[in-house]
Amino acid sequence: MSIQQNIQHIKSQLPEHVTLVAVSKTKPVSDLMEAYNAGQRSFGENKIQEMVEKHEVMPKDIEWHMIGHVQRNKVKYMASFVNLIHGVDNIKLLKEIDKQAKKHDRIIDCLLQIKIASEDSKFGMSSSDALEIIQSNSLSELKNIKVTGVMGMATFTNNKSQIEREFQFLKSTFDDLKATQSKNCTLEIISMGMSSDYLLAIEFGSNMVRVGSSIFGSRNYN
Ligand SMILES: *Cc1c(COP(=O)(O)O)cnc(C)c1O
């Protein structure tokens, strides 16, 4: 199936309140343009340099999502245009995003990445760390960021009940955070679910799915 058909198929499965982020990492601009021409406007990249290059040549009504691990010294390259940073996992990074956003007179939306997988390789903070950040005074001083939700990546496994447990955990973390949120937070987004598990994630409360290979085909990392 073509990229356009893949997008139409996935969209037909998504409830109205769920946002589809097309994960275009490693894919050429021509593929992204095919998605764009099919009406797709939210794209997710996991490398800042690659996202910057694509942003420069693509239409300006695209929303760019940074879904990968973010190094503090690279925030400046995307601060002028990024729409949502999914992978925020510490307060120092939030402070840097705030600082760079201020230079562009913007407010950058951020998600707190929660570690829900059992694998050590996955980034993210514990739910208690996230709670601490949400309640901290330093967060309320950061005027140029807004924490709008949480993000998580389930373990890479075929064990469905394990994935369900991990999604359930992210949802309940979100609920706990929402119950205690303060200034600079408007917790609305639960970013969870990828090509293999986005429908399951939606059952467990996801309202933003990050789908790559089911749209663009498998990736070649060479
Ligand atoms: C690559 C990636 C995805 C998309 O993965 P697919 O399995 O290709 O849909 C989603 N989220 C993150 C954080 C990723 O790095």
Side-chain angles (χ1 to χ4, degrees):
M1 287 212 293
S2 69
I3 289 171
Q4 179 182 6
Q5 286 169 324
N6 291 336
I7 286 179
Q8 283 166 350
H9 171 68
I10 293 165
K11 283 225 153 152
S12 73
Q13 297 175 309
L14 301 183
E16 193 101 41
H17 69 280
V18 176
T19 302
L20 172 63
V21 178
V23 175
S24 47
K25 61 192 184 194
T26 80
K27 297 294 175 182
V29 166
S30 56
D31 283 6
L32 278 72
M33 279 311 297
E34 205 175 321
Y36 180 87
N37 289 330
Q40 184 63 29
R41 291 295 180 273
S42 298
F43 290 86
E45 292 283 337
N46 72 340
K47 297 217 162 60
I48 293 176
Q49 189 56 39
E50 186 175 343
M51 185 171 78
V52 167
E53 287 167 11
K54 288 171 173 171
H55 166 258
E56 278 170 6
V57 299
M58 291 193 64
K60 293 297 172 271
D61 61 341
I62 290 175
E63 284 194 8
W64 292 97
H65 293 236
M66 174 42 59
I67 63 169
H69 186 66
V70 176
Q71 286 170 276
R72 252 182 294 148
N73 61 351
K74 291 192 177 159
V75 171
K76 55 178 177 280
Y77 301 117
M78 62 175 170
S80 66
F81 69 91
V82 67
N83 281 89
L84 182 62
I85 302 177
H86 291 233
V88 176
D89 63 358
N90 62 79
I91 186 82
K92 275 179 154 178
L93 178 56
L94 271 178
K95 286 180 180 166
E96 176 64 15
I97 296 168
D98 179 71
K99 182 175 146 195
Q100 298 298 334
K102 197 174 191 145
K103 290 183 186 169
H104 297 278
D105 199 21
R106 301 183 64 214
I107 294 173
I108 297 181
D109 289 354
C110 297
L111 304 181
L112 299 180
Q113 181 170 359
I114 311 295
K115 183 169 160 54
I116 59 173
S118 55
E119 296 149 296
D120 283 338
S121 60
K122 302 255 161 92
F123 292 103
M125 59 180 126
S126 66
S127 59
S128 57
D129 287 347
L131 209 53
E132 203 172 294
I133 286 183
I134 291 286
Q135 295 171 331
S136 70
N137 286 328
S138 39
L139 181 68
S140 54
E141 287 157 13
L142 306 179
K143 308 284 187 234
N144 292 78
I145 56 119
K146 195 162 83 183
V147 176
T148 56
V150 296
M151 181 271 218
M153 280 175 93
T155 303
F156 186 70
T157 174
N158 289 324
N159 183 340
K160 191 174 169 202
S161 64
Q162 182 177 357
I163 296 173
E164 287 179 354
R165 271 200 308 281
E166 294 174 359
F167 284 162
Q168 180 66 57
F169 177 70
L170 187 60
K171 173 67 164 77
S172 67
T173 298
F174 173 84
D175 291 340
D176 291 348
L177 294 175
K178 201 171 164 70
T180 60
Q181 65 182 313
S182 55
K183 275 208 279 181
N184 291 10
C185 299
T186 324
L187 296 177
E188 287 164 347
I189 299 172
I190 302 180
S191 167
M192 67 178 180
M194 325 200 323
S195 290
S196 57
D197 53 23
Y198 64 90
L199 290 176
L200 188 64
I202 291 167
E203 276 180 48
F204 282 84
S206 169
N207 55 17
M208 183 172 280
V209 294
R210 308 176 309 267
V211 180
S213 45
S214 290
I215 294 175
F216 296 105
S218 57
R219 287 177 293 272
N220 180 349
Y221 282 99
N222 294 327

